[in-house]
Amino acid sequence: MLLFSLLLCVAPLGLLGEETRQVSLEVIPNLLGPPQNLLHIRAVGTNSTLHYVWSSLGSPAALLVATNTPHSELSVNWSRLLSAEPAGGLTVFPEDSIQFSSALVFTRLFEFDSTDAATKPPGKPYPPYSLSKFSWNNITDSLDPATLSATLQGHPTDDPTGAFANGSLTFRVQAFSKSGRPEQPPRLLHSADTCQLEVTLTGASPRGNHSLFALEVATVGQSPDCPTMEKQHSIDDEYAPAVFEVDQLLWGSLPSGFVQWRPVAFSQKQGGRESAMPCQASPLYPTMAYLLPQSPVVRAFFGSRNNFCAFNLTFGASTGPGYWDQYYLSWSMLLGMGTPPVDTLSPLVLGIMAVALGAPGLMLLAGGLFLLLGPKRYSEYQPIN
Ligand SMILES: *[C@@H]1O[C@H](CO)[C@@H](O)[C@H](O)[C@H]1NC(C)=O
Ligand SMILES: *[C@@H]1O[C@H](CO)[C@@H](O)[C@H](O)[C@H]1NC(C)=O
Ligand SMILES: *[C@@H]1O[C@H](CO)[C@@H](O)[C@H](O)[C@H]1NC(C)=O
Ligand SMILES: *[C@@H]1O[C@H](CO)[C@@H](O)[C@H](O)[C@H]1NC(C)=O
Ligand SMILES: *[C@@H]1O[C@H](CO)[C@@H](O)[C@H](O)[C@H]1NC(C)=O
Ligand SMILES: *[C@@H]1O[C@H](CO)[C@@H](O)[C@H](O)[C@H]1NC(C)=O
């Protein structure tokens, strides 16, 4: 009975744990109106399909829809999507195959003056950059079917100070047909049920000597509750030096949709211990949709009745490595469905533990054997007779 219920909660509806998926990337063209960036990633397993939609329409946003059939399709009605009432402009068919849906919207980039001692960390905020007022490259040109990746690169449309004259903010999206681990730190373990996003800020002139940056992220889901934020401790830091934690957002009880990241960002392209910066997540709070820059893609799928929650991710601290070193900052996360990937102890760490625990263990064993088998010693105490 227990085993049965365990099995039930581990694999509801056959939606999860697909070992491999057929992944295809397609930019959906707007044939009638102005061209727009709308990327559809379709990851098909034996009994399920994950649809990811990435778009720079409005604020950059990612939509995840999981269905329990390998035959579900995404349909876009451009005239509705681009209208003032986008609801219904983006649908997944058949509708009753949809098991889960959620979205992330990247709304604003904040910059703080961390040297301002009068304010508490991260410091005094400069006026934020609204990502809905960025112009983005053509995602078609960056599509790479070999790595299943695509890149959105943008800079503010209106840039009076020229801060982004040589700079850009980049969202690189990558899907996976099977599990593995990328070369780039923090080397997040991915599965076929996940998609990775790497956010990079490069070359933009900071407005202070010690500027910290933060990214505001809004979440949308089916339930009115905010996703829960969880911090998982890990004793293995082989893949992300000195980071013993994995943070995740869960939209429901496990398995559900999730976002997962290591609380670390890097101030250099060759991310390593010397360029690792802390990445701090603020708590999530429900937010009124009208306070946030809109994403037509999210409204097109979820309708106007949205349950938005929002939080900030702050990168770096006033001391240690920072964006100011090389005008570079990168951070990665996974968006996926099912049980978030869990790092098991790596062979290196197991080896170290075996050696560390093994040496004293061997000595104890040797000592024990000596006591048991060694020369018999007579008690110093003689019975008083
Ligand atoms: C997929 O569906 C088939 C037939 O319905 C079933 O035999 C199989 O166990 C399912 N696979 C998974 C991974 O759920
Ligand atoms: C991107 O380029 C393709 C052709 O290479 C073009 O058809 C499409 O409209 C362009 N999209 C955008 C958003 O400019
Ligand atoms: C797309 O939306 C428009 C406006 O809401 C509607 O008139 C049209 O019939 C829709 N097109 C399709 C193919 O559903
Ligand atoms: C942009 O780069 C050019 C050439 O490298 C340099 O001359 C210019 O000062 C830079 N502008 C900013 C705002 O950093
Ligand atoms: C930045 O540092 C320079 C020299 O280290 C200093 O002259 C300047 O006032 C500083 N600027 C700000 C905005 O703190
Ligand atoms: C993120 O930080 C900025 C600047 O401190 C603040 O204005 C904004 O309300 C924060 N957003 C969230 C969702 O906490």
Coordinates of all heavy atoms in Angstrom, one line a residue, residues 229-305:
M229 N 9.4 29.3 -2.0 CA 10.9 29.3 -2.2 C 11.5 28.3 -1.2 O 11.2 28.4 0.0 CB 11.4 30.7 -2.0 CG 12.8 30.8 -2.6 SD 13.5 32.4 -2.6 CE 12.5 33.4 -3.7
E230 N 12.4 27.5 -1.7 CA 13.0 26.5 -0.9 C 14.5 26.6 -1.1 O 15.1 26.8 -2.1 CB 12.6 25.1 -1.5 CG 11.8 24.3 -0.6 CD 11.7 22.9 -1.1 OE1 12.6 22.4 -1.8 OE2 10.6 22.3 -1.0
K231 N 15.2 26.4 0.1 CA 16.7 26.3 0.0 C 17.1 24.9 0.4 O 16.8 24.5 1.4 CB 17.3 27.4 0.9 CG 17.1 28.8 0.5 CD 17.7 29.8 1.4 CE 17.3 31.2 1.1 NZ 17.8 31.6 -0.3
Q232 N 17.8 24.3 -0.5 CA 18.3 22.9 -0.2 C 19.8 23.0 0.0 O 20.5 23.6 -0.8 CB 18.0 22.1 -1.5 CG 16.6 21.9 -1.7 CD 16.2 20.4 -2.0 OE1 17.0 19.7 -2.7 NE2 15.2 19.9 -1.4
H233 N 20.2 22.3 1.0 CA 21.6 22.3 1.3 C 22.3 21.1 0.7 O 21.7 20.0 0.5 CB 21.9 22.3 2.8 CG 21.4 23.6 3.4 ND1 22.2 24.7 3.4 CD2 20.2 24.0 3.9 CE1 21.5 25.7 3.9 NE2 20.3 25.3 4.3
S234 N 23.5 21.3 0.2 CA 24.2 20.2 -0.4 C 25.6 20.2 0.1 O 26.1 21.3 0.5 CB 24.1 20.4 -1.9 OG 25.4 20.4 -2.5
I235 N 26.2 19.0 0.3 CA 27.6 19.1 0.8 C 28.6 19.0 -0.3 O 29.8 19.0 -0.1 CB 27.8 18.0 1.8 CG1 27.7 16.6 1.2 CG2 26.9 18.1 3.0 CD1 28.2 15.5 2.0
D236 N 28.1 19.0 -1.5 CA 29.0 18.9 -2.7 C 29.1 20.2 -3.4 O 28.2 20.8 -3.8 CB 28.4 17.9 -3.6 CG 29.3 17.5 -4.7 OD1 30.4 18.1 -4.8 OD2 29.0 16.6 -5.5
D237 N 30.4 20.7 -3.5 CA 30.6 22.0 -4.2 C 31.5 21.8 -5.3 O 32.1 22.7 -5.8 CB 31.1 23.1 -3.2 CG 32.5 22.9 -2.8 OD1 33.0 21.7 -2.9 OD2 33.2 23.9 -2.5
E238 N 31.7 20.5 -5.8 CA 32.6 20.3 -6.9 C 32.3 21.1 -8.1 O 33.2 21.7 -8.8 CB 32.7 18.8 -7.3 CG 33.7 18.6 -8.4 CD 33.8 17.2 -8.9 OE1 33.1 16.3 -8.2 OE2 34.5 16.9 -9.8
Y239 N 31.0 21.2 -8.5 CA 30.7 21.9 -9.7 C 30.4 23.4 -9.5 O 30.5 24.1 -10.5 CB 29.4 21.2 -10.3 CG 29.6 19.8 -10.6 CD1 29.0 18.8 -9.8 CD2 30.5 19.4 -11.6 CE1 29.3 17.5 -10.1 CE2 30.8 18.1 -11.9 CZ 30.1 17.1 -11.1 OH 30.4 15.8 -11.4
A240 N 30.2 23.9 -8.3 CA 30.0 25.3 -8.1 C 30.8 25.6 -6.8 O 30.3 25.5 -5.7 CB 28.6 25.7 -7.9
P241 N 32.1 25.9 -7.0 CA 33.0 26.0 -5.8 C 32.4 26.9 -4.7 O 31.9 28.0 -4.9 CB 34.3 26.6 -6.4 CG 34.2 26.3 -7.8 CD 32.8 26.2 -8.2
A242 N 32.5 26.4 -3.5 CA 32.1 27.1 -2.3 C 30.6 27.4 -2.2 O 30.2 28.3 -1.5 CB 33.0 28.3 -2.0
V243 N 29.8 26.8 -3.0 CA 28.3 27.0 -3.0 C 27.7 25.7 -2.5 O 27.7 24.8 -3.2 CB 27.8 27.5 -4.3 CG1 26.3 27.7 -4.2 CG2 28.5 28.7 -4.8
F244 N 27.2 25.8 -1.3 CA 26.6 24.6 -0.7 C 25.1 24.6 -0.6 O 24.5 24.2 0.3 CB 27.2 24.3 0.7 CG 28.7 24.1 0.7 CD1 29.5 25.2 0.9 CD2 29.2 22.9 0.4 CE1 30.9 25.0 0.9 CE2 30.6 22.7 0.4 CZ 31.4 23.7 0.6
E245 N 24.5 25.3 -1.6 CA 23.1 25.5 -1.6 C 22.5 25.5 -3.0 O 23.1 25.9 -3.9 CB 22.8 26.8 -0.9 CG 21.4 27.0 -0.4 CD 21.2 28.4 0.2 OE1 21.8 28.6 1.3 OE2 20.5 29.2 -0.4
V246 N 21.2 25.0 -3.0 CA 20.5 25.1 -4.3 C 19.1 25.8 -3.9 O 18.5 25.3 -2.9 CB 20.2 23.7 -4.9 CG1 19.3 23.8 -6.1 CG2 21.5 23.0 -5.3
D247 N 18.8 26.8 -4.6 CA 17.5 27.5 -4.3 C 16.5 27.1 -5.4 O 16.8 26.9 -6.5 CB 17.7 29.0 -4.4 CG 18.5 29.6 -3.3 OD1 18.9 28.8 -2.4 OD2 18.8 30.8 -3.3
Q248 N 15.3 26.9 -5.0 CA 14.2 26.6 -6.0 C 12.9 27.2 -5.6 O 12.5 27.4 -4.5 CB 14.1 25.1 -6.2 CG 14.1 24.2 -5.0 CD 14.6 22.8 -5.3 OE1 15.4 22.6 -6.2 NE2 14.0 21.8 -4.6
L249 N 12.1 27.4 -6.7 CA 10.7 27.9 -6.6 C 9.9 26.7 -7.0 O 10.1 26.1 -8.1 CB 10.5 29.0 -7.5 CG 11.0 30.4 -7.2 CD1 10.5 31.4 -8.3 CD2 10.5 30.8 -5.8
L250 N 8.9 26.4 -6.2 CA 8.0 25.2 -6.6 C 6.6 25.8 -6.6 O 6.1 26.4 -5.7 CB 8.1 24.1 -5.5 CG 9.5 23.6 -5.2 CD1 9.4 22.6 -4.0 CD2 10.0 22.8 -6.4
W251 N 5.9 25.4 -7.8 CA 4.5 25.9 -7.9 C 3.5 25.1 -7.2 O 2.3 25.5 -7.1 CB 4.2 26.0 -9.4 CG 4.5 27.4 -10.0 CD1 3.7 28.5 -9.8 CD2 5.6 27.8 -10.7 NE1 4.3 29.6 -10.5 CE2 5.5 29.2 -11.0 CE3 6.8 27.1 -11.2 CZ2 6.4 29.9 -11.7 CZ3 7.7 27.9 -11.9 CH2 7.5 29.2 -12.2
G252 N 3.8 24.0 -6.7 CA 2.9 23.1 -6.0 C 3.7 22.1 -5.2 O 4.9 22.2 -5.2
S253 N 2.9 21.1 -4.7 CA 3.7 20.1 -4.0 C 4.4 19.2 -5.1 O 3.9 19.1 -6.2 CB 2.7 19.2 -3.2 OG 1.7 18.7 -4.0
L254 N 5.5 18.7 -4.7 CA 6.3 17.9 -5.7 C 5.6 16.7 -6.2 O 4.9 16.1 -5.4 CB 7.6 17.5 -5.0 CG 8.7 18.5 -5.1 CD1 9.9 18.0 -4.3 CD2 9.1 18.8 -6.5
P255 N 5.7 16.3 -7.5 CA 6.4 17.1 -8.5 C 5.5 18.1 -9.1 O 4.3 17.9 -9.3 CB 6.7 16.0 -9.5 CG 5.7 15.0 -9.3 CD 5.2 15.0 -7.9
S256 N 6.1 19.3 -9.4 CA 5.3 20.4 -10.1 C 6.3 21.1 -11.0 O 7.4 20.6 -11.3 CB 4.8 21.3 -9.0 OG 5.8 22.2 -8.6
G257 N 5.8 22.3 -11.4 CA 6.8 23.1 -12.2 C 7.7 23.7 -11.2 O 7.4 23.9 -10.0
F258 N 8.9 24.0 -11.6 CA 9.9 24.6 -10.7 C 10.9 25.5 -11.5 O 11.1 25.4 -12.7 CB 10.7 23.4 -10.0 CG 11.5 22.6 -10.9 CD1 12.8 23.0 -11.2 CD2 11.0 21.4 -11.5 CE1 13.6 22.2 -12.1 CE2 11.8 20.7 -12.3 CZ 13.1 21.1 -12.6
V259 N 11.6 26.3 -10.7 CA 12.7 27.1 -11.1 C 13.8 26.7 -10.1 O 13.6 26.6 -8.9 CB 12.5 28.6 -11.1 CG1 13.7 29.4 -11.5 CG2 11.3 29.0 -11.9
Q260 N 15.0 26.5 -10.6 CA 16.1 26.1 -9.7 C 17.4 26.8 -10.1 O 17.7 27.0 -11.3 CB 16.3 24.6 -9.9 CG 17.3 24.0 -8.9 CD 17.7 22.6 -9.2 OE1 18.2 22.3 -10.3 NE2 17.4 21.7 -8.3
W261 N 18.1 27.3 -9.1 CA 19.4 27.9 -9.4 C 20.3 27.8 -8.2 O 19.9 27.5 -7.1 CB 19.2 29.4 -9.7 CG 18.7 30.2 -8.6 CD1 19.5 31.0 -7.7 CD2 17.3 30.5 -8.2 NE1 18.7 31.6 -6.8 CE2 17.4 31.3 -7.0 CE3 16.1 30.1 -8.7 CZ2 16.2 31.8 -6.4 CZ3 15.0 30.5 -8.0 CH2 15.0 31.4 -6.9
R262 N 21.6 28.0 -8.4 CA 22.5 28.0 -7.3 C 22.7 29.5 -7.0 O 22.8 30.3 -7.9 CB 23.9 27.4 -7.7 CG 23.8 25.9 -7.8 CD 25.2 25.3 -7.5 NE 25.2 23.9 -7.6 CZ 25.4 23.1 -6.5 NH1 25.7 23.7 -5.3 NH2 25.4 21.8 -6.6
P263 N 22.8 29.8 -5.7 CA 22.8 31.3 -5.3 C 24.2 31.8 -5.6 O 24.9 32.3 -4.7 CB 22.5 31.3 -3.9 CG 22.9 29.9 -3.4 CD 22.7 29.0 -4.5
V264 N 24.6 31.8 -6.9 CA 25.9 32.3 -7.2 C 25.9 32.9 -8.6 O 25.1 32.5 -9.5 CB 27.0 31.2 -7.2 CG1 26.7 30.1 -8.2 CG2 28.4 31.7 -7.4
A265 N 26.6 34.0 -8.8 CA 26.7 34.7 -10.1 C 28.2 34.8 -10.3 O 29.0 34.7 -9.4 CB 26.0 36.0 -10.2
F266 N 28.6 35.1 -11.6 CA 30.0 35.2 -11.9 C 30.4 36.6 -12.5 O 29.6 37.1 -13.3 CB 30.5 34.1 -12.7 CG 30.4 32.7 -12.1 CD1 29.2 31.9 -12.3 CD2 31.3 32.3 -11.1 CE1 29.1 30.7 -11.6 CE2 31.2 31.1 -10.5 CZ 30.1 30.3 -10.7
S267 N 31.5 37.1 -12.1 CA 32.0 38.4 -12.6 C 33.0 38.2 -13.8 O 33.6 39.2 -14.2 CB 32.6 39.3 -11.5 OG 33.8 38.7 -11.1
Q268 N 33.2 37.0 -14.2 CA 34.1 36.7 -15.3 C 33.5 35.6 -16.1 O 32.8 34.7 -15.6 CB 35.5 36.3 -14.8 CG 36.3 37.4 -14.3 CD 37.6 36.9 -13.7 OE1 38.2 36.0 -14.3 NE2 38.1 37.6 -12.7
K269 N 33.8 35.6 -17.4 CA 33.3 34.6 -18.3 C 33.8 33.2 -17.8 O 33.0 32.3 -17.8 CB 33.8 34.8 -19.7 CG 32.9 34.3 -20.7 CD 33.1 35.0 -22.1 CE 32.0 34.4 -23.0 NZ 31.6 35.2 -24.1
Q270 N 35.0 33.1 -17.4 CA 35.5 31.8 -16.9 C 35.1 31.8 -15.5 O 36.0 32.1 -14.6 CB 37.0 31.6 -17.1 CG 37.6 31.7 -18.5 CD 37.6 33.2 -18.9 OE1 37.7 34.1 -18.1 NE2 37.6 33.4 -20.2
G271 N 33.9 31.5 -15.2 CA 33.4 31.5 -13.8 C 34.3 30.6 -12.9 O 34.5 29.4 -13.3
G272 N 34.7 31.0 -11.8 CA 35.5 30.2 -10.9 C 35.4 30.8 -9.5 O 34.6 31.8 -9.3
R273 N 36.1 30.2 -8.6 CA 36.0 30.7 -7.2 C 36.3 32.2 -7.1 O 35.6 32.9 -6.3 CB 37.0 29.9 -6.4 CG 36.8 29.9 -4.9 CD 37.8 29.1 -4.2 NE 37.7 27.7 -4.4 CZ 37.0 26.9 -3.6 NH1 36.4 27.4 -2.5 NH2 36.9 25.6 -3.8
E274 N 37.3 32.7 -7.9 CA 37.7 34.1 -7.7 C 36.7 35.0 -8.2 O 36.7 36.2 -7.9 CB 39.1 34.4 -8.3 CG 39.9 33.6 -9.2 CD 39.4 32.3 -9.7 OE1 39.5 31.2 -9.1 OE2 38.8 32.3 -10.8
S275 N 35.8 34.6 -9.1 CA 34.8 35.5 -9.7 C 33.4 35.2 -9.2 O 32.4 35.8 -9.7 CB 34.9 35.4 -11.2 OG 34.5 34.1 -11.6
A276 N 33.3 34.4 -8.2 CA 31.9 34.0 -7.7 C 31.4 35.1 -6.8 O 32.0 35.5 -5.9 CB 32.0 32.7 -7.0
M277 N 30.2 35.5 -7.1 CA 29.5 36.5 -6.3 C 28.2 35.9 -5.7 O 27.6 35.0 -6.4 CB 29.0 37.7 -7.1 CG 30.0 38.3 -8.0 SD 29.3 39.8 -8.8 CE 28.8 39.1 -10.3
P278 N 27.8 36.3 -4.5 CA 26.5 35.8 -4.0 C 25.3 36.3 -4.8 O 25.4 37.3 -5.4 CB 26.5 36.3 -2.6 CG 27.3 37.5 -2.6 CD 28.4 37.3 -3.6
C279 N 24.3 35.5 -4.9 CA 23.1 35.9 -5.6 C 22.0 35.7 -4.5 O 21.7 34.6 -4.1 CB 22.8 35.0 -6.8 SG 21.1 34.9 -7.3
Q280 N 21.4 36.8 -4.1 CA 20.4 36.8 -3.0 C 19.0 37.0 -3.6 O 18.8 37.9 -4.3 CB 20.8 37.9 -2.1 CG 20.4 37.6 -0.6 CD 21.2 38.4 0.3 OE1 21.6 39.5 0.1 NE2 21.6 37.8 1.4
A281 N 18.1 36.1 -3.2 CA 16.7 36.2 -3.6 C 15.9 36.8 -2.5 O 16.0 36.4 -1.3 CB 16.2 34.8 -4.0
S282 N 15.1 37.8 -2.8 CA 14.2 38.4 -1.8 C 12.9 37.5 -1.7 O 12.7 36.7 -2.6 CB 13.8 39.8 -2.2 OG 12.9 39.7 -3.3
P283 N 12.1 37.6 -0.7 CA 10.9 36.7 -0.6 C 9.9 37.1 -1.7 O 10.0 38.2 -2.2 CB 10.3 37.1 0.8 CG 11.4 37.8 1.5 CD 12.3 38.4 0.5
L284 N 9.1 36.2 -2.0 CA 8.1 36.4 -3.1 C 6.8 37.0 -2.5 O 6.3 36.5 -1.4 CB 7.6 35.1 -3.7 CG 8.4 34.7 -4.9 CD1 9.4 33.6 -4.5 CD2 7.4 34.2 -6.0
Y285 N 6.3 38.0 -3.1 CA 5.0 38.6 -2.6 C 4.0 38.7 -3.8 O 4.4 39.0 -4.9 CB 5.2 40.0 -2.0 CG 6.0 39.9 -0.7 CD1 7.2 40.4 -0.6 CD2 5.4 39.3 0.4 CE1 7.9 40.4 0.6 CE2 6.0 39.3 1.6 CZ 7.3 39.8 1.7 OH 8.0 39.7 2.9
P286 N 2.7 38.5 -3.5 CA 1.7 38.8 -4.6 C 1.8 40.2 -5.0 O 2.0 41.1 -4.2 CB 0.4 38.5 -3.9 CG 0.7 37.7 -2.6 CD 2.1 38.1 -2.3
T287 N 1.7 40.4 -6.3 CA 1.8 41.8 -6.8 C 0.7 42.0 -7.8 O 0.3 41.1 -8.5 CB 3.1 41.9 -7.6 OG1 4.2 41.5 -6.8 CG2 3.4 43.3 -8.0
M288 N 0.2 43.3 -7.8 CA -0.9 43.6 -8.7 C -0.3 43.7 -10.1 O 0.8 44.2 -10.3 CB -1.4 45.0 -8.4 CG -2.1 45.1 -7.1 SD -3.5 44.0 -7.1 CE -4.1 44.1 -5.4
A289 N -1.0 43.1 -11.1 CA -0.5 43.0 -12.4 C -0.2 44.4 -13.0 O 0.8 44.6 -13.7 CB -1.5 42.3 -13.3
Y290 N -1.0 45.4 -12.6 CA -0.8 46.7 -13.2 C 0.4 47.4 -12.8 O 0.9 48.4 -13.3 CB -2.1 47.6 -13.0 CG -2.3 48.0 -11.6 CD1 -1.7 49.1 -11.1 CD2 -3.2 47.3 -10.8 CE1 -1.9 49.5 -9.8 CE2 -3.4 47.6 -9.5 CZ -2.8 48.7 -9.0 OH -3.0 49.1 -7.7
L291 N 1.0 46.9 -11.7 CA 2.3 47.5 -11.2 C 3.5 47.1 -12.0 O 4.5 47.6 -11.8 CB 2.5 47.2 -9.7 CG 1.4 47.8 -8.7 CD1 1.7 47.4 -7.3 CD2 1.5 49.3 -8.8
L292 N 3.3 46.0 -12.7 CA 4.4 45.4 -13.4 C 4.3 45.7 -14.9 O 3.2 45.8 -15.5 CB 4.4 43.9 -13.3 CG 4.6 43.4 -11.9 CD1 4.3 41.9 -11.8 CD2 6.0 43.6 -11.4
P293 N 5.4 45.8 -15.6 CA 5.4 45.9 -17.1 C 4.7 44.6 -17.6 O 5.0 43.5 -17.1 CB 6.9 46.0 -17.5 CG 7.6 46.4 -16.3 CD 6.8 45.9 -15.1
Q294 N 3.9 44.7 -18.6 CA 3.1 43.6 -19.1 C 3.9 42.7 -20.1 O 4.8 43.2 -20.8 CB 1.9 44.1 -19.7 CG 0.9 44.7 -18.7 CD 0.5 43.6 -17.7 OE1 0.0 42.5 -18.1 NE2 0.7 43.9 -16.4
S295 N 3.5 41.5 -20.1 CA 3.9 40.6 -21.1 C 2.7 40.1 -21.9 O 1.9 39.3 -21.3 CB 4.7 39.4 -20.5 OG 4.7 38.3 -21.5
P296 N 2.5 40.5 -23.1 CA 1.3 40.1 -23.9 C 1.2 38.5 -24.0 O 0.2 38.0 -24.0 CB 1.5 40.7 -25.2 CG 2.4 41.9 -25.0 CD 3.3 41.5 -23.9
V297 N 2.4 37.9 -24.1 CA 2.4 36.4 -24.2 C 1.8 35.8 -23.0 O 1.0 34.8 -23.1 CB 3.9 35.9 -24.4 CG1 4.0 34.4 -24.2 CG2 4.4 36.4 -25.7
V298 N 2.1 36.3 -21.8 CA 1.5 35.7 -20.6 C 0.0 36.0 -20.5 O -0.8 35.1 -20.2 CB 2.3 36.3 -19.3 CG1 1.5 36.0 -18.1 CG2 3.7 35.8 -19.3
R299 N -0.4 37.2 -20.9 CA -1.8 37.5 -20.9 C -2.5 36.7 -21.9 O -3.7 36.4 -21.7 CB -2.0 39.0 -21.1 CG -1.6 39.8 -19.8 CD -2.0 41.3 -20.0 NE -3.4 41.5 -20.2 CZ -3.8 42.7 -20.7 NH1 -3.0 43.6 -21.1 NH2 -5.1 42.8 -20.9
A300 N -1.9 36.5 -23.0 CA -2.5 35.7 -24.1 C -2.8 34.3 -23.7 O -3.9 33.8 -24.0 CB -1.6 35.7 -25.4
F301 N -2.0 33.7 -22.9 CA -2.2 32.4 -22.4 C -3.1 32.3 -21.2 O -4.0 31.5 -21.1 CB -0.9 31.6 -22.2 CG -1.1 30.2 -21.8 CD1 -1.3 29.2 -22.8 CD2 -1.1 29.8 -20.5 CE1 -1.6 27.9 -22.5 CE2 -1.4 28.5 -20.2 CZ -1.6 27.5 -21.2
F302 N -2.8 33.2 -20.2 CA -3.4 33.1 -18.9 C -4.7 33.9 -18.8 O -5.4 33.8 -17.8 CB -2.5 33.4 -17.7 CG -1.5 32.4 -17.4 CD1 -0.2 32.4 -18.0 CD2 -1.8 31.3 -16.6 CE1 0.7 31.4 -17.7 CE2 -0.9 30.3 -16.3 CZ 0.4 30.4 -16.8
G303 N -4.9 34.8 -19.7 CA -6.0 35.7 -19.6 C -5.7 36.9 -18.7 O -4.5 37.0 -18.2
S304 N -6.6 37.8 -18.4 CA -6.3 39.0 -17.7 C -6.3 38.6 -16.2 O -5.7 39.4 -15.4 CB -7.3 40.1 -18.0 OG -8.6 39.6 -17.9
R305 N -7.0 37.5 -15.8 CA -7.0 37.1 -14.4 C -5.7 36.4 -14.1 O -5.6 35.2 -14.1 CB -8.2 36.2 -14.2 CG -8.3 35.4 -12.9 CD -9.1 34.1 -13.1 NE -8.6 33.3 -14.2 CZ -7.5 32.5 -14.0 NH1 -6.9 32.5 -12.9 NH2 -7.1 31.8 -15.0

